[in-house]
Amino acid sequence: MPVAEPELVGKLERRQPSAFLLASARGVGQVDLQPTLWTGLIILAGLWSAGWRIGLFATLGTLVSTATAYALGVDRSGIALGLQGYCGCLTGIALVTSLGDHAATYVLAVVGAIVCTLLMAALTTFLAPYGLTALTAPFCLVSGVMVLGAPSFDRIWHGAPNAVSSTTGGDTGISWDDLWHAFFTNVSQVFLVDKWYVGLIMLVGLAFAGVRVLLYAAAGSVTGIVAAWALGAPTALISNGIYGYNAVLVAIAVGAVLLTGTVWNGAYALFGAAASTGLTASLTSLFKPFGGHTFTWPFILTTWVLMAAVPLLPRLRRSG
């Protein structure tokens, strides 16, 4: 056995670079709660198609978070599934879209990705007794704090890039062009990207995760559109995916990942998707006075509440 040990170590060391890259690719897909390699690669391609800055910062954040997890000795099975990379991915995108492409932003993206890994461990420990997972909370906490504090530092703040307005009011009529645009941008806005063709590419990636995942992503997008329109949300914000991306995430998480595939569970997931649409408006109004960002908080809070209720709702069953 001692003779064979060096050979085993050598094999593991040779496999580490490829294992790291595969885990990082899966980390991109885990933003949509999917560990499938092709899903991650296709979504990453969609991010690069949105612009090299988006693609670069998404890649940088994912790689750094994954590398940090390796360095800290986090459970390798979780790393291999991409569970340590997805918050870093979103943090990188959030920082470049909020602060612009500057040298300081690269430094913040690296630091933010490292902190995401630490917060992932902390929140996982805290939430475990309740049967809940961290979801994208590390990303929201890290990015929210960094973006909120950025204007106080001259070497970080260079003026905010143009962004989709989150104000209320405006035209509430909706056309076919608005509808199909919203359907796809609801998917791309999960990654803070307002480009319909990126959403289309991402749906192709989700198809590789399975028909059920694709159907719930589509159903979540439609639910978000209907709920936002029924509540009278401004057409421009519906079309740009501002009111629908959290619905997409809730539908995938609750309907396709966390609960089994029953009619009751499906209805529960879509109810949550609709609720997250209303919560998006509430949290946006809450954060607006002090310059905070909604990010994926509606998805997180809605999913936590829905899943915390499951043990006392006999008609609903967790997966696994």
Side-chain angles (χ1 to χ4, degrees):
M1 189 69 177
V3 176
E5 188 174 349
E7 294 182 6
L8 177 60
V9 172
K11 288 180 180 180
L12 290 174
E13 288 178 348
R14 285 194 295 271
R15 291 173 58 185
Q16 280 179 357
S18 61
F20 169 66
L21 293 177
L22 291 174
S24 298
R26 290 189 174 96
V28 178
Q30 281 287 6
V31 173
D32 284 319
L33 295 92
Q34 304 308 313
T36 308
L37 178 60
W38 279 108
T39 298
L41 290 173
I42 293 172
I43 289 176
L44 183 60
L47 291 172
W48 277 94
S49 74
W52 69 267
R53 291 176 179 84
I54 297 292
L56 177 60
F57 274 84
T59 304
L60 175 64
T62 309
L63 291 174
V64 171
S65 281
T66 304
T68 302
Y70 271 114
L72 294 176
V74 176
D75 176 59
R76 293 296 178 92
S77 61
I79 298 176
L81 292 173
L83 294 175
Q84 296 296 327
Y86 67 94
C87 283
C89 174
L90 288 174
T91 296
I93 297 171
L95 291 176
V96 73
T97 54
S98 299
L99 305 180
D101 177 24
H102 304 283
T105 311
Y106 288 87
V107 176
L108 286 180
V110 171
V111 173
I114 292 172
V115 176
C116 277
T117 302
L118 302 179
L119 271 178
M120 179 66 73
L123 288 174
T124 298
T125 301
F126 176 76
L127 294 170
Y130 306 100
L132 302 176
T133 57
L135 301 176
T136 52
F139 146 65
C140 288
L141 290 170
V142 173
S143 299
V145 168
M146 286 186 164
V147 173
L148 189 61
S152 300
F153 303 102
D154 290 338
R155 290 188 175 86
I156 294 175
W157 186 250
H158 301 274
N162 293 329
V164 177
S165 172
S166 60
T167 57
T168 58
D171 181 24
T172 57
I174 195 163
S175 66
W176 169 248
D177 189 61
D178 295 321
L179 289 173
W180 72 258
H181 194 272
F183 178 79
F184 292 112
T185 53
N186 283 344
V187 180
S188 65
Q189 280 287 6
V190 169
F191 291 81
L192 312 177
V193 175
D194 172 24
K195 296 184 185 297
W196 70 267
Y197 61 86
V198 175
L200 175 59
I201 294 172
M202 290 177 175
L203 282 173
V204 172
L206 290 174
F208 278 85
V211 174
R212 183 180 169 195
V213 173
L214 178 63
L215 290 178
Y216 270 105
S221 183
V222 171
T223 301
I225 294 170
V226 172
W229 175 81
L231 292 171
T235 303
L237 299 187
I238 296 175
S239 179
N240 286 323
I242 299 301
Y243 277 102
Y245 68 96
N246 284 290
V248 171
L249 281 173
V250 171
I252 294 174
V254 179
V257 177
L258 300 176
L259 297 182
T260 58
T262 68
V263 174
W264 279 100
N265 289 346
Y268 192 60
L270 296 183
F271 167 79
S276 72
T277 302
L279 188 57
T280 297
S282 300
L283 291 180
T284 299
S285 298
L286 178 65
F287 291 143
K288 186 178 178 182
F290 55 88
H293 291 259
T294 307
F295 292 135
T296 56
W297 278 119
F299 152 63
I300 296 165
L301 296 177
T302 301
T303 303
W304 279 350
V305 170
L306 293 179
M307 295 309 299
V310 167
L312 296 181
L313 303 175
R315 291 192 182 277
L316 306 177
R317 296 197 303 274
R318 285 179 176 268
S319 60

